[in-house]
Amino acid sequence: MSPPPNGTRQPDLSIAFAGIQLKNPVIAASGTFGYGIEFEDVVHLDKLGGFVVKGLSKEPMAGNPPPRLYETAAGMLNAIGLQNIGARSFIDEKLPKLRQIKNIVVIANVFGYTREDYEQTIQILNEGEGIAAYELNVSCPNTASGGIQFGSDPRLLDEVVATARHCSPRPLIVKLSPNVTSIAQMAHVAEEAGADAISLVNTFVAMAIDAETRKPRISNVTAGLSGPAIKPIALRMVYDVSKAVKIPVIGMGGISTAVDVIEYVLAGATAVQIGTASYWDPCATEKIVDELQEWCAEHKVERIASLTGGIVLE
Ligand SMILES: Cc1cc2nc3c(=O)[nH]c(=O)nc-3n(C[C@H](O)[C@H](O)[C@H](O)COP(=O)(O)O)c2cc1C
């Protein structure tokens, strides 16, 4: 990006939520940016608002057998199965490397199959320094309740968020599943249970079949749909949720340009996350920050924060 002419001020892209200051609203989404450190050679990590690391569990997990990814029209199906190195290895192996990089914001995504899993994972992560916040992935089946997802039952959601709140000294972002009837209701439940911010959406349950072999395209049969295909639905959900809660909302789903970011901000998002776009272009997050700076300058937006919820309805 070329520097502004003398005397012209750069637009202020900084935002804040849950007591965390970000230099811009662009955050790399969980599961699409490794543990951050793997992207060090392709992205200037300190240019991003922040990044969310792969979902972490108490113990390491191997994930599902292949095929686990399939590209669809304007989207991607994944059933990675939450493969990860486990919270302890993250603290011991990844976090020390991340802490050597100045000026970055690291958010740890956490998941589990019981309330105790969430609690124990957070307790392990509490020992590590340099984590700005926790993002709770509640799109996992609760094994203690017969496999129903935490994020699709208000009572389970209330319990898991209250548990995490209790053991977390750090800001708590609750990441909602879109596979519910009323995501606004779930956001309200999470807010009441102690969430500091809401992020949405996770992937939509979907599937693809190969007509020739008659087999599912993904070994797990069903998978999560992400990418541009989900953007209009996710945008509507961000709009609904931002009207239902007082806490900040972090929007995501199919963002691949600065204009997409602006649409989410106008719908009510304070910040956004970029997921699948990083699969198609590993530098997408950083490019979107540059584009956003240019878009704001061209549109004479001095502070991006002033656009949050700025949709014009009349
Ligand atoms: C390959 C892949 C892995 C993902 N893993 C996680 C994860 O571990 N935890 C989580 O909360 N979300 C995970 N997600 C969901 C994304 O963070 C994001 O919510 C979703 O993909 C929608 O954003 P997008 O359309 O920009 O990709 C994953 C998505 C993809 C594509």
Side-chain angles (χ1 to χ4, degrees):
M1 196 179 63
S2 50
N6 278 349
T8 314
R9 266 202 300 154
Q10 288 275 18
D12 177 5
L13 295 189
S14 68
I15 57 104
F17 65 84
I20 313 167
Q21 287 289 332
L22 301 191
K23 54 178 85 72
N24 62 63
V26 178
I27 303 169
S30 181
T32 63
F33 209 71
Y35 301 99
I37 197 74
E38 300 81 1
F39 275 72
E40 195 188 17
D41 293 337
V42 276
V43 173
H44 295 97
L45 296 177
D46 61 355
K47 256 186 92 169
L48 307 182
F51 54 85
V52 188
V53 304
K54 239 176 201 287
L56 296 164
S57 49
K58 200 177 50 167
E59 305 291 342
M61 280 182 53
N64 292 326
R68 311 195 288 183
L69 290 177
Y70 179 71
E71 196 172 329
T72 61
M76 190 167 92
L77 285 176
N78 97 80
I80 303 291
L82 296 167
Q83 177 184 0
N84 79 101
I85 58 173
R88 176 63 60 198
S89 299
F90 174 72
I91 296 279
D92 294 343
E93 295 162 26
K94 305 290 180 181
L95 207 49
K97 292 185 191 145
L98 288 171
R99 285 182 55 203
Q100 286 171 13
I101 308 171
K102 300 259 172 304
N103 239 332
I104 59 170
V105 172
V106 181
I107 298 171
N109 182 284
V110 173
F111 74 93
Y113 294 97
T114 61
R115 258 195 301 160
E116 292 70 31
D117 285 349
Y118 282 91
E119 187 170 21
Q120 288 165 17
T121 307
I122 290 174
Q123 277 163 351
I124 296 169
L125 294 173
N126 284 344
E127 294 171 30
E129 273 175 52
I131 298 171
Y134 297 129
E135 182 181 61
L136 224 55
N137 176 2
V138 293
S139 303
C140 301
N142 177 330
T143 46
S145 296
I148 186 164
Q149 283 189 6
F150 283 100
S152 58
D153 179 313
R155 194 181 51 81
L156 290 180
L157 181 65
D158 173 63
E159 282 176 12
V160 76
V161 175
T163 300
R165 172 74 292 159
H166 187 68
C167 60
S168 166
R170 293 179 164 137
L172 192 62
I173 305 164
V174 176
K175 180 170 180 178
L176 295 178
S177 164
N179 305 303
V180 293
T181 308
S182 169
I183 198 162
Q185 183 203 356
M186 300 313 253
H188 183 68
V189 168
E191 179 180 41
E192 291 289 300
D196 296 301
I198 300 289
S199 62
L200 73 153
V201 296
N202 213 315
T203 54
F204 288 78
V205 180
M207 67 188 288
I209 298 173
D210 180 340
E212 297 302 322
T213 63
R214 304 184 181 185
K215 288 184 178 167
R217 296 281 190 182
I218 299 272
S219 70
N220 189 55
V221 184
T222 61
L225 181 66
S226 60
I230 70 170
K231 199 192 102 186
I233 317 177
L235 191 65
R236 188 270 296 170
M237 290 181 162
V238 165
Y239 176 69
D240 282 351
V241 164
S242 69
K243 288 190 298 177
V245 297
K246 295 189 185 66
I247 51 179
V249 171
I250 304 168
M252 77 197 92
I255 296 176
S256 61
T257 66
V259 175
D260 293 337
V261 175
I262 297 293
E263 289 178 28
Y264 271 91
V265 170
L266 292 172
T270 296
V272 296
Q273 292 185 16
I274 318 279
T276 305
S278 291
Y279 269 79
W280 290 324
D281 174 1
C283 307
T285 44
E286 187 172 353
K287 284 184 186 163
I288 291 172
V289 173
D290 285 338
E291 271 184 37
L292 203 54
Q293 192 87 40
E294 284 167 24
W295 192 95
C296 288
E298 276 167 27
H299 292 77
K300 306 208 176 347
V301 172
E302 287 176 15
R303 283 179 58 244
I304 196 159
S306 68
L307 291 185
T308 294
I311 181 173
V312 178
L313 294 170
E314 70 272 13

